[in-house]
Amino acid sequence: MSLVVTGLSIASILLLVALGLAIIYGVTGVINLAHGELVMIGAYCAWALQSFFGIGLLASLPLIFLATALLGWIIDRVVIRHLYNRPLDTILATWGIGVMAQQAVRLLAGGELRYVEMPEAMNHPVSVLGVEIPIFRIFILGLAVALFGLTWFLIFRTSLGLKLRAITQSREIASCFGINSNRIYGLTFAYGAGLAGLAGAVVSPLKSVAPEMGTTYVVDAFMVVVLGGVESLVGSVASAFIIGQSSSAVAFYANDTIAKALVLLFIVILIRFRPQGLFAAKVRS
Amino acid sequence: MRNRDLIQYLTYGTVCLIIFLVPVFVQDAFLLNKTARYLVLGILAISLSLSWGYTGILNLGQATSFGLGSYCMAMALKLRTIPVHTGAEGLPDFMVWNNVEKLPWFWEPFYSMPFAIAAGVAVPALIAAGLGWFMFRGRVTGVYVAIITLAFLVVVNLLFIDQQRFTGGFNGITDLAQLDIGSFTFDAYGASSYYLIAICLTFCLFFALLVTKSKAGLILQAIRDHENRVRYFGYDVARYKIFAVAVSAAIAGMAGMLYTIVMEFASPTFMGVQLSLSVVIWCAVGGRQSLLGSMLGAILVAGMQGALSESETFLDTWTLVMGLVFVLVVLFLPKGLAGAAETLKDRIFRKFGRSSKAMAKSPGEATPRPAASRPT
């Protein structure tokens, strides 16, 4: 039982980190290697707001979302915009941006580890089905589900989402109908970056905050997106669940490192046989 | 031989000659060792240029091959220090610390230096060929190749760190003997190691150049430009791609071995994500579609990084600057510095070529041929 709960906890964090990446990748085709750094910046925002302005973690979440979204929008307008037709080069450019972000944070906030305090109300465990779990873990799970729901609503129930889906299918034809694809791309990137910032903020009390923390997240998040299928939101949820559960199960029998290696190998094999991912959206072509 | 080829061979030869002349002017052992290190990274960049620039396979796990080669050499050199550290019958020191009773079977053959050298080239090549077979037979392309190779790198890296008993874990394999062949010892801080590396560099550079000029090399470039067209002509695209990654991995493995010789240790960071992505940067800055450009890019960027990170003023800002330069290169010089040099050269030649040819030939033939304007 505790295995399943641990797996669920890993999965919810993975989903939070991967959701923004999945949206950016699915809509614009940009491989955003700076995603991990956006997560890291979100975590640092949480730390800065807490230690300089005394704003608690929960209250600072909307601010962090806006700040990282704005940053994402700027990155898109200045750099990524020019590379929409060169997907492989986006890997390189975003990695360069990631390097800059890492070093900039190191200069501004110092290289040492930072700690963010857990919200007072969530600092005690509750018993769920016979397992003691911290409320904060449940909160993360809830937030992941809520953000997934919000994203789903934005994409499938708003006019903005309709335009977005049109662009994903065919950018040229969507443009012919007067949809400003440039603007939508920018907004998508900003939204994805905002989600990354949120993810960083909520994981900050669980792990120490450091300039290098992003690198580990980005590889994991990629695996979630690729496993799930690029254009499928539901796929991201399912694959985050699968990866979370299998990591915690293998870690129980071997150790964390072996678990991670095996899960990665499994994903490599999966990409080979299903490059479209487990839950590819059916698109008429 | 065409004129263009001749100029290319001469340029490559001149650069190698300059590299050979360095020890004449640089006497400082520390500086020589550092230069040798950059040259090794240059070899690594050549290997990536072969697979990325010439074949279009963005291998984000090039450091896997580098690291494997490095560990092969380190194992052989470690075994030679056993009598010094733990007695003639003993085990390498880190195995003793980890309570290993008996030398593992896969360490045994590394008592033989020729075997170790062969393994340092063959193991990375075979593993790359296996991974290539796995990917390219299934027609995995583009971004997915990048993700698979990156994931594979992380897996290998995690395993090497986890299996501390056999690989030294986080610390890697340290405290190595110096390489000796026959009765000659290669001193890591002496000119001997430098020349060894310079010879290997020249060999790799010209070997890679000959590969790109061979028929297989031309097909590889055709695959880069339009894979399906090559397939429709009846070529086995997968086989050529496997060949490209295997050759590339062999060269990277060789670079790894040389790196262990000059650094005098092997570390899991040699197969880390950071180094692997750095290679991509070097190639992109130097010009991935030029072997020489990639190599010089590596020497230039790594050298500047080394120099600036040692000076007080740039210690903190250097990485920031490097990231910025890299983004600018990707945006404005997709073919890197070599591409920019090529364009510049063409412009100058066109200017002079037009005036001289116009007098010699009829105006119709005077139009300059579109050199170096390969489609990308």
Side-chain angles (χ1 to χ4, degrees), chain A residues 45-128:
Chain A
C45 285
W47 166 75
L49 286 171
Q50 192 165 67
S51 45
F52 295 127
F53 303 99
I55 304 176
L57 183 63
L58 295 182
S60 62
L61 287 182
L63 272 177
I64 294 171
F65 178 82
L66 287 180
T68 41
L70 180 69
L71 185 67
W73 189 78
I74 294 171
I75 292 175
D76 181 75
R77 289 300 89 180
V78 176
V79 180
I80 315 290
R81 184 163 63 98
H82 306 287
L83 299 173
Y84 278 128
N85 300 322
R86 290 152 57 189
L88 273 180
D89 283 352
T90 58
I91 298 186
L92 308 178
T94 49
W95 193 64
I97 294 169
V99 167
M100 285 163 70
Q102 246 184 55
Q103 193 58 30
V105 166
R106 202 173 283 133
L107 284 178
L108 290 172
E112 61 265 40
L113 298 180
R114 303 290 182 184
Y115 298 92
V116 175
E117 273 179 39
M118 197 167 285
E120 196 64 26
M122 295 191 170
N123 210 357
H124 50 84
V126 285
S127 178
V128 178

Coordinates of all heavy atoms in Angstrom, one line a residue, chain A residues 45-128:
Chain A
C45 N 12.0 31.6 -6.7 CA 11.0 32.7 -6.4 C 10.3 32.4 -5.1 O 10.2 33.3 -4.3 CB 9.9 32.7 -7.5 SG 10.5 33.4 -9.0
A46 N 10.0 31.1 -4.9 CA 9.3 30.8 -3.6 C 10.2 31.1 -2.4 O 9.8 31.7 -1.4 CB 9.0 29.3 -3.6
W47 N 11.5 30.8 -2.6 CA 12.5 31.1 -1.5 C 12.6 32.6 -1.3 O 12.6 33.1 -0.2 CB 13.8 30.5 -1.9 CG 14.9 31.0 -1.0 CD1 15.2 30.6 0.3 CD2 15.9 31.9 -1.4 NE1 16.3 31.3 0.7 CE2 16.8 32.1 -0.3 CE3 16.2 32.7 -2.6 CZ2 17.8 33.0 -0.3 CZ3 17.3 33.5 -2.6 CH2 18.1 33.7 -1.4
A48 N 12.7 33.3 -2.4 CA 12.9 34.8 -2.3 C 11.7 35.5 -1.6 O 11.9 36.3 -0.7 CB 13.2 35.4 -3.6
L49 N 10.5 35.1 -2.1 CA 9.3 35.7 -1.6 C 9.2 35.4 -0.1 O 8.7 36.2 0.7 CB 8.1 35.2 -2.3 CG 7.9 35.8 -3.8 CD1 6.8 35.1 -4.5 CD2 7.6 37.3 -3.7
Q50 N 9.6 34.2 0.3 CA 9.4 33.8 1.7 C 10.5 34.5 2.6 O 10.1 35.0 3.6 CB 9.6 32.3 1.8 CG 9.2 31.8 3.2 CD 9.0 30.3 3.1 OE1 10.0 29.5 3.0 NE2 7.8 29.8 3.3
S51 N 11.7 34.5 2.1 CA 12.7 35.0 3.1 C 12.9 36.6 3.0 O 13.3 37.2 4.0 CB 14.1 34.3 2.8 OG 14.3 34.3 1.4
F52 N 12.5 37.2 1.9 CA 12.6 38.7 1.8 C 11.3 39.4 2.1 O 11.3 40.5 2.7 CB 13.2 39.1 0.5 CG 14.6 38.6 0.2 CD1 14.9 37.9 -0.9 CD2 15.6 38.8 1.2 CE1 16.2 37.4 -1.1 CE2 16.9 38.4 0.9 CZ 17.2 37.7 -0.2
F53 N 10.2 38.8 1.7 CA 8.9 39.5 1.8 C 8.0 38.8 2.8 O 6.9 39.3 3.1 CB 8.2 39.7 0.5 CG 9.1 40.4 -0.5 CD1 9.8 39.7 -1.5 CD2 9.2 41.8 -0.5 CE1 10.6 40.3 -2.4 CE2 10.0 42.4 -1.5 CZ 10.7 41.7 -2.4
G54 N 8.4 37.7 3.3 CA 7.6 37.0 4.3 C 6.3 36.5 3.8 O 5.4 36.3 4.5
I55 N 6.2 36.2 2.5 CA 5.0 35.7 1.9 C 5.1 34.2 2.0 O 6.0 33.6 1.5 CB 4.8 36.2 0.4 CG1 4.9 37.7 0.4 CG2 3.5 35.6 -0.1 CD1 4.8 38.2 -1.0
G56 N 4.0 33.6 2.5 CA 4.0 32.1 2.6 C 3.9 31.5 1.2 O 3.6 32.1 0.2
L57 N 4.2 30.2 1.3 CA 4.3 29.5 0.0 C 3.0 29.5 -0.8 O 3.0 29.8 -2.0 CB 4.8 28.0 0.3 CG 4.9 27.2 -1.0 CD1 6.1 27.7 -1.9 CD2 5.2 25.7 -0.6
L58 N 1.9 29.2 -0.1 CA 0.6 29.1 -0.8 C 0.2 30.5 -1.4 O -0.2 30.5 -2.5 CB -0.4 28.6 0.2 CG -0.2 27.2 0.7 CD1 -1.4 26.8 1.6 CD2 -0.1 26.3 -0.5
A59 N 0.5 31.5 -0.6 CA 0.1 32.9 -1.1 C 0.9 33.3 -2.3 O 0.5 34.1 -3.1 CB 0.2 33.9 0.0
S60 N 2.1 32.8 -2.4 CA 3.0 33.3 -3.4 C 2.8 32.5 -4.7 O 3.4 32.9 -5.8 CB 4.5 33.1 -3.0 OG 4.8 31.8 -2.7
L61 N 2.0 31.4 -4.7 CA 1.9 30.6 -5.9 C 1.4 31.4 -7.2 O 2.0 31.3 -8.2 CB 1.0 29.4 -5.7 CG 1.6 28.3 -4.8 CD1 0.6 27.2 -4.7 CD2 2.9 27.8 -5.4
P62 N 0.3 32.3 -7.0 CA -0.1 33.0 -8.2 C 1.0 34.0 -8.7 O 1.2 34.1 -9.9 CB -1.3 33.8 -7.7 CG -1.7 33.1 -6.4 CD -0.5 32.5 -5.9
L63 N 1.7 34.6 -7.8 CA 2.8 35.5 -8.2 C 3.8 34.8 -9.0 O 4.3 35.2 -10.0 CB 3.4 36.1 -6.9 CG 2.8 37.4 -6.4 CD1 3.5 37.8 -5.1 CD2 3.0 38.5 -7.4
I64 N 4.2 33.6 -8.4 CA 5.3 32.8 -9.1 C 4.8 32.4 -10.5 O 5.6 32.4 -11.5 CB 5.6 31.6 -8.2 CG1 6.3 32.0 -6.9 CG2 6.6 30.6 -9.0 CD1 6.5 31.0 -5.9
F65 N 3.5 32.0 -10.6 CA 3.0 31.6 -11.9 C 3.2 32.8 -12.9 O 3.7 32.6 -14.0 CB 1.5 31.2 -11.8 CG 0.9 30.8 -13.1 CD1 1.1 29.6 -13.7 CD2 0.2 31.8 -13.8 CE1 0.6 29.2 -14.9 CE2 -0.3 31.4 -15.1 CZ -0.1 30.2 -15.6
L66 N 2.7 34.0 -12.5 CA 2.8 35.1 -13.4 C 4.3 35.4 -13.7 O 4.6 35.7 -14.9 CB 2.2 36.3 -12.7 CG 0.6 36.3 -12.6 CD1 0.1 37.5 -11.9 CD2 0.0 36.1 -14.0
A67 N 5.1 35.4 -12.7 CA 6.5 35.8 -13.0 C 7.2 34.8 -14.0 O 7.8 35.3 -15.0 CB 7.3 35.8 -11.7
T68 N 7.0 33.5 -13.8 CA 7.7 32.6 -14.7 C 7.0 32.6 -16.1 O 7.7 32.4 -17.1 CB 7.7 31.2 -14.1 OG1 6.5 30.9 -13.5 CG2 8.8 31.0 -13.1
A69 N 5.7 32.8 -16.1 CA 5.0 32.9 -17.4 C 5.6 34.1 -18.2 O 5.8 34.0 -19.4 CB 3.5 33.1 -17.2
L70 N 5.8 35.2 -17.5 CA 6.3 36.4 -18.2 C 7.7 36.1 -18.7 O 8.0 36.4 -19.8 CB 6.4 37.6 -17.2 CG 6.9 38.9 -17.8 CD1 5.9 39.5 -18.8 CD2 7.2 39.9 -16.7
L71 N 8.5 35.4 -17.9 CA 9.8 35.1 -18.3 C 9.8 34.2 -19.5 O 10.5 34.4 -20.5 CB 10.6 34.4 -17.2 CG 12.0 34.0 -17.4 CD1 12.8 35.3 -17.5 CD2 12.5 33.1 -16.3
G72 N 8.9 33.2 -19.5 CA 8.7 32.3 -20.6 C 8.3 33.1 -21.9 O 8.8 32.8 -23.0
W73 N 7.4 34.0 -21.7 CA 7.0 34.8 -22.9 C 8.1 35.6 -23.5 O 8.3 35.7 -24.7 CB 5.8 35.8 -22.4 CG 5.2 36.5 -23.6 CD1 4.2 35.9 -24.4 CD2 5.4 37.8 -24.0 NE1 3.9 36.9 -25.3 CE2 4.6 38.0 -25.1 CE3 6.3 38.8 -23.6 CZ2 4.6 39.2 -25.8 CZ3 6.2 40.0 -24.3 CH2 5.4 40.2 -25.4
I74 N 9.0 36.2 -22.6 CA 10.1 36.9 -23.1 C 11.1 36.0 -23.8 O 11.5 36.3 -24.9 CB 10.8 37.6 -21.9 CG1 9.9 38.7 -21.3 CG2 12.2 38.2 -22.4 CD1 10.5 39.3 -20.0
I75 N 11.3 34.8 -23.2 CA 12.2 33.9 -23.9 C 11.7 33.6 -25.3 O 12.4 33.5 -26.3 CB 12.4 32.6 -23.1 CG1 13.1 32.9 -21.8 CG2 13.1 31.5 -23.9 CD1 13.2 31.7 -20.9
D76 N 10.4 33.3 -25.4 CA 9.8 33.0 -26.6 C 10.0 34.1 -27.7 O 10.4 33.9 -28.8 CB 8.3 32.6 -26.5 CG 7.7 32.2 -27.8 OD1 8.0 31.1 -28.2 OD2 7.0 33.1 -28.4
R77 N 9.6 35.3 -27.2 CA 9.7 36.4 -28.2 C 11.1 36.7 -28.6 O 11.3 37.1 -29.8 CB 9.1 37.7 -27.5 CG 7.6 37.7 -27.3 CD 6.8 37.5 -28.6 NE 6.6 36.1 -28.9 CZ 5.9 35.7 -30.0 NH1 5.4 36.5 -30.8 NH2 5.8 34.4 -30.2
V78 N 12.1 36.6 -27.7 CA 13.4 37.0 -28.1 C 14.2 35.9 -28.9 O 14.8 36.2 -29.9 CB 14.2 37.3 -26.8 CG1 15.7 37.7 -27.2 CG2 13.6 38.5 -26.1
V79 N 14.0 34.6 -28.5 CA 14.8 33.6 -29.1 C 14.0 32.5 -29.8 O 14.1 32.4 -31.0 CB 15.7 32.9 -28.0 CG1 16.5 31.8 -28.6 CG2 16.5 33.8 -27.3
I80 N 13.1 31.9 -29.1 CA 12.4 30.7 -29.7 C 11.7 31.0 -31.0 O 11.6 30.2 -31.9 CB 11.5 30.1 -28.7 CG1 12.1 30.0 -27.3 CG2 11.0 28.7 -29.1 CD1 13.2 29.0 -27.2
R81 N 11.1 32.2 -31.0 CA 10.2 32.6 -32.2 C 11.0 32.4 -33.5 O 10.4 32.1 -34.5 CB 9.9 34.1 -32.0 CG 9.0 34.8 -33.0 CD 8.5 36.0 -32.4 NE 9.6 37.0 -32.1 CZ 9.9 38.0 -33.0 NH1 9.3 38.1 -34.1 NH2 10.9 38.8 -32.7
H82 N 12.3 32.6 -33.5 CA 13.0 32.5 -34.7 C 13.3 31.1 -35.1 O 13.9 30.8 -36.2 CB 14.4 33.3 -34.6 CG 14.2 34.7 -34.1 ND1 13.7 35.7 -35.0 CD2 14.4 35.3 -33.0 CE1 13.6 36.8 -34.3 NE2 14.0 36.6 -33.1
L83 N 13.0 30.2 -34.2 CA 13.5 28.8 -34.4 C 12.3 27.8 -34.6 O 12.5 26.6 -34.6 CB 14.3 28.3 -33.2 CG 15.6 29.1 -33.0 CD1 16.3 28.6 -31.7 CD2 16.6 28.9 -34.1
Y84 N 11.1 28.3 -34.8 CA 10.0 27.4 -34.9 C 10.1 26.5 -36.1 O 9.5 25.4 -36.1 CB 8.7 28.2 -35.0 CG 8.2 28.7 -33.7 CD1 7.9 30.0 -33.4 CD2 8.1 27.8 -32.6 CE1 7.4 30.4 -32.2 CE2 7.6 28.2 -31.4 CZ 7.3 29.5 -31.2 OH 6.9 29.9 -29.9
N85 N 10.9 26.8 -37.1 CA 11.0 25.9 -38.2 C 12.3 25.0 -38.1 O 12.5 24.3 -39.0 CB 11.1 26.7 -39.5 CG 9.8 27.5 -39.7 OD1 8.7 27.0 -39.4 ND2 9.9 28.7 -40.2
R86 N 13.0 25.2 -37.0 CA 14.2 24.4 -36.9 C 14.2 23.6 -35.5 O 14.9 24.0 -34.6 CB 15.4 25.3 -36.9 CG 15.7 25.9 -38.3 CD 16.4 27.2 -38.2 NE 17.7 27.2 -37.5 CZ 18.4 28.3 -37.2 NH1 17.9 29.5 -37.5 NH2 19.5 28.2 -36.6
P87 N 13.3 22.6 -35.4 CA 13.1 22.0 -34.1 C 14.4 21.5 -33.4 O 14.5 21.6 -32.2 CB 12.1 20.8 -34.4 CG 12.2 20.7 -35.9 CD 12.5 22.0 -36.4
L88 N 15.3 20.9 -34.2 CA 16.5 20.4 -33.5 C 17.3 21.5 -32.9 O 18.0 21.4 -31.9 CB 17.4 19.6 -34.5 CG 17.0 18.1 -34.6 CD1 17.9 17.4 -35.6 CD2 17.1 17.4 -33.3
D89 N 17.3 22.7 -33.6 CA 18.1 23.8 -33.0 C 17.5 24.4 -31.8 O 18.2 25.0 -31.0 CB 18.2 24.9 -34.1 CG 19.2 24.6 -35.1 OD1 19.9 23.6 -34.9 OD2 19.3 25.3 -36.1
T90 N 16.1 24.1 -31.6 CA 15.6 24.6 -30.3 C 16.2 23.9 -29.1 O 16.3 24.5 -28.0 CB 14.0 24.4 -30.3 OG1 13.8 23.0 -30.4 CG2 13.3 25.2 -31.3
I91 N 16.6 22.7 -29.3 CA 17.3 21.9 -28.2 C 18.5 22.7 -27.8 O 18.8 22.9 -26.6 CB 17.7 20.5 -28.7 CG1 16.5 19.7 -29.1 CG2 18.5 19.8 -27.6 CD1 16.9 18.2 -29.4
L92 N 19.3 23.1 -28.8 CA 20.5 23.8 -28.5 C 20.3 25.2 -27.9 O 20.9 25.5 -26.9 CB 21.3 24.0 -29.8 CG 21.5 22.8 -30.7 CD1 22.3 23.1 -31.9 CD2 22.3 21.7 -29.9
A93 N 19.4 26.0 -28.5 CA 19.2 27.3 -28.0 C 18.6 27.3 -26.6 O 19.1 28.0 -25.7 CB 18.2 28.1 -28.9
T94 N 17.6 26.4 -26.3 CA 17.1 26.4 -25.0 C 18.1 25.9 -24.0 O 18.0 26.3 -22.8 CB 15.8 25.5 -24.9 OG1 16.1 24.3 -25.5 CG2 14.6 26.2 -25.6
W95 N 19.0 25.0 -24.4 CA 20.0 24.6 -23.5 C 20.9 25.8 -23.1 O 21.3 26.0 -22.0 CB 20.8 23.4 -24.0 CG 21.6 22.8 -22.9 CD1 21.1 22.2 -21.8 CD2 23.0 22.9 -22.8 NE1 22.2 21.9 -21.0 CE2 23.3 22.2 -21.5 CE3 24.1 23.4 -23.6 CZ2 24.6 22.1 -21.1 CZ3 25.4 23.2 -23.1 CH2 25.6 22.6 -21.9
G96 N 21.2 26.6 -24.1 CA 22.0 27.8 -23.9 C 21.3 28.7 -22.9 O 21.9 29.2 -22.0
I97 N 20.0 28.9 -23.1 CA 19.2 29.7 -22.2 C 19.3 29.1 -20.8 O 19.4 29.8 -19.8 CB 17.8 29.8 -22.7 CG1 17.7 30.6 -24.0 CG2 16.9 30.5 -21.6 CD1 16.4 30.5 -24.7
G98 N 19.2 27.8 -20.7 CA 19.2 27.1 -19.4 C 20.6 27.4 -18.7 O 20.6 27.7 -17.5
V99 N 21.6 27.3 -19.4 CA 23.0 27.6 -18.9 C 23.0 29.0 -18.3 O 23.5 29.2 -17.2 CB 24.1 27.4 -19.9 CG1 25.4 28.0 -19.5 CG2 24.2 25.9 -20.3
M100 N 22.5 29.9 -19.1 CA 22.5 31.3 -18.6 C 21.6 31.5 -17.4 O 22.0 32.2 -16.4 CB 21.9 32.3 -19.7 CG 22.9 32.5 -20.9 SD 22.1 33.1 -22.3 CE 21.7 34.8 -21.8
A101 N 20.4 30.9 -17.4 CA 19.5 31.0 -16.2 C 20.2 30.5 -15.0 O 20.2 31.1 -13.9 CB 18.2 30.3 -16.5
Q102 N 20.8 29.3 -15.1 CA 21.5 28.7 -14.0 C 22.6 29.6 -13.4 O 22.6 29.9 -12.2 CB 22.2 27.4 -14.4 CG 21.6 26.2 -13.8 CD 22.4 25.0 -14.2 OE1 23.6 24.9 -14.0 NE2 21.7 24.0 -14.8
Q103 N 23.4 30.2 -14.3 CA 24.5 31.0 -13.8 C 23.9 32.3 -13.2 O 24.5 32.8 -12.2 CB 25.5 31.3 -14.9 CG 26.8 31.9 -14.5 CD 27.5 31.0 -13.5 OE1 27.3 29.8 -13.5 NE2 28.2 31.6 -12.6
A104 N 22.9 32.9 -13.9 CA 22.3 34.1 -13.4 C 21.8 33.9 -12.0 O 22.0 34.8 -11.1 CB 21.2 34.6 -14.3
V105 N 21.1 32.8 -11.8 CA 20.6 32.5 -10.4 C 21.7 32.4 -9.4 O 21.7 32.9 -8.3 CB 19.7 31.3 -10.4 CG1 19.4 30.8 -9.0 CG2 18.4 31.6 -11.1
R106 N 22.8 31.7 -9.9 CA 23.9 31.5 -9.0 C 24.6 32.9 -8.6 O 25.0 33.1 -7.5 CB 25.0 30.6 -9.7 CG 25.9 29.9 -8.7 CD 26.8 29.0 -9.5 NE 26.1 27.7 -9.8 CZ 26.2 27.1 -11.0 NH1 26.9 27.7 -12.0 NH2 25.5 26.0 -11.2
L107 N 24.6 33.8 -9.6 CA 25.1 35.1 -9.3 C 24.2 35.9 -8.3 O 24.7 36.6 -7.4 CB 25.3 35.9 -10.6 CG 26.5 35.5 -11.4 CD1 26.5 36.4 -12.7 CD2 27.8 35.7 -10.7
L108 N 22.9 35.8 -8.6 CA 22.0 36.6 -7.8 C 21.7 36.0 -6.4 O 21.7 36.8 -5.4 CB 20.6 36.7 -8.5 CG 20.6 37.5 -9.8 CD1 19.3 37.3 -10.5 CD2 20.8 39.0 -9.4
A109 N 21.6 34.7 -6.3 CA 21.2 34.1 -5.0 C 22.3 33.3 -4.3 O 22.1 32.8 -3.2 CB 20.0 33.2 -5.3
G110 N 23.4 33.2 -5.0 CA 24.5 32.4 -4.4 C 24.4 30.9 -4.7 O 23.3 30.5 -5.0
G111 N 25.5 30.2 -4.7 CA 25.5 28.9 -5.1 C 25.1 27.9 -4.0 O 24.8 26.7 -4.3
E112 N 24.9 28.3 -2.8 CA 24.6 27.3 -1.7 C 23.2 26.9 -1.7 O 22.3 27.5 -2.4 CB 25.0 27.9 -0.3 CG 24.2 29.2 0.1 CD 25.0 30.4 -0.3 OE1 25.6 30.5 -1.4 OE2 24.9 31.4 0.5
L113 N 22.9 25.8 -1.0 CA 21.6 25.2 -1.0 C 20.6 26.2 -0.2 O 21.0 26.8 0.8 CB 21.6 23.9 -0.3 CG 22.4 22.8 -1.0 CD1 22.3 21.5 -0.2 CD2 22.0 22.6 -2.4
R114 N 19.4 26.3 -0.7 CA 18.4 27.1 0.0 C 17.3 26.2 0.5 O 17.0 25.1 -0.1 CB 17.8 28.2 -0.9 CG 18.9 29.1 -1.5 CD 19.4 30.0 -0.5 NE 20.4 30.9 -1.0 CZ 21.1 31.7 -0.3 NH1 21.0 31.8 1.0 NH2 22.0 32.5 -0.9
Y115 N 16.6 26.6 1.5 CA 15.5 25.8 2.0 C 14.2 26.7 2.1 O 14.2 27.8 2.5 CB 15.8 25.2 3.4 CG 17.0 24.3 3.3 CD1 18.3 24.8 3.5 CD2 16.8 23.0 2.9 CE1 19.4 23.9 3.4 CE2 17.9 22.1 2.7 CZ 19.2 22.6 3.0 OH 20.2 21.8 2.8
V116 N 13.1 26.1 1.7 CA 11.8 26.8 1.7 C 11.0 26.0 2.8 O 11.0 24.8 2.8 CB 11.1 26.7 0.4 CG1 9.7 27.3 0.5 CG2 11.9 27.5 -0.7
E117 N 10.3 26.8 3.7 CA 9.6 26.2 4.7 C 8.2 25.7 4.2 O 7.6 26.4 3.4 CB 9.4 27.2 5.9 CG 10.5 27.2 6.8 CD 10.3 28.2 7.9 OE1 9.2 28.3 8.4 OE2 11.3 28.8 8.3
M118 N 7.9 24.6 4.7 CA 6.6 24.0 4.4 C 5.5 24.9 5.1 O 5.7 25.3 6.2 CB 6.5 22.6 4.8 CG 5.4 21.8 4.2 SD 5.6 20.1 4.5 CE 6.9 19.7 3.4
P119 N 4.3 25.1 4.4 CA 3.2 25.8 5.1 C 2.9 25.2 6.4 O 2.8 23.9 6.4 CB 2.1 25.7 4.1 CG 2.8 25.5 2.8 CD 4.0 24.7 3.0
E120 N 2.6 26.0 7.4 CA 2.4 25.5 8.8 C 1.2 24.5 8.8 O 1.4 23.4 9.4 CB 2.0 26.7 9.6 CG 2.0 26.5 11.1 CD 3.4 26.2 11.6 OE1 4.4 26.6 10.9 OE2 3.6 25.5 12.6
A121 N 0.2 24.8 8.1 CA -1.0 24.0 8.2 C -0.8 22.6 7.5 O -1.6 21.7 7.8 CB -2.2 24.7 7.5
M122 N 0.2 22.4 6.7 CA 0.3 21.2 6.0 C 1.5 20.3 6.5 O 1.9 19.4 5.8 CB 0.6 21.5 4.5 CG -0.6 22.2 3.9 SD -0.5 22.3 2.2 CE -2.1 22.8 1.8
N123 N 2.0 20.7 7.7 CA 3.2 20.1 8.1 C 3.0 18.8 9.0 O 3.9 18.4 9.7 CB 4.1 21.1 8.9 CG 5.6 20.8 8.7 OD1 5.9 19.7 8.1 ND2 6.4 21.6 9.3
H124 N 1.8 18.3 8.9 CA 1.6 17.1 9.7 C 1.0 16.0 8.9 O 0.3 16.3 7.9 CB 0.8 17.4 11.0 CG -0.5 18.1 10.6 ND1 -1.6 17.5 10.2 CD2 -0.7 19.5 10.6 CE1 -2.5 18.4 10.0 NE2 -2.0 19.6 10.2
P125 N 1.2 14.7 9.2 CA 0.7 13.6 8.4 C -0.7 13.3 8.7 O -1.2 13.6 9.8 CB 1.7 12.5 8.8 CG 2.1 12.8 10.1 CD 2.1 14.3 10.3
V126 N -1.4 12.7 7.8 CA -2.7 12.1 8.0 C -2.6 10.7 7.6 O -1.8 10.3 6.8 CB -3.8 12.8 7.2 CG1 -4.1 14.2 7.8 CG2 -3.4 12.9 5.7
S127 N -3.6 9.9 8.1 CA -3.6 8.5 7.8 C -4.6 8.2 6.7 O -5.8 8.5 6.8 CB -4.0 7.7 9.1 OG -4.1 6.4 8.7
V128 N -4.1 7.7 5.6 CA -5.0 7.4 4.4 C -4.8 5.9 4.2 O -3.7 5.4 3.9 CB -4.6 8.2 3.2 CG1 -5.5 7.8 2.0 CG2 -4.7 9.7 3.4

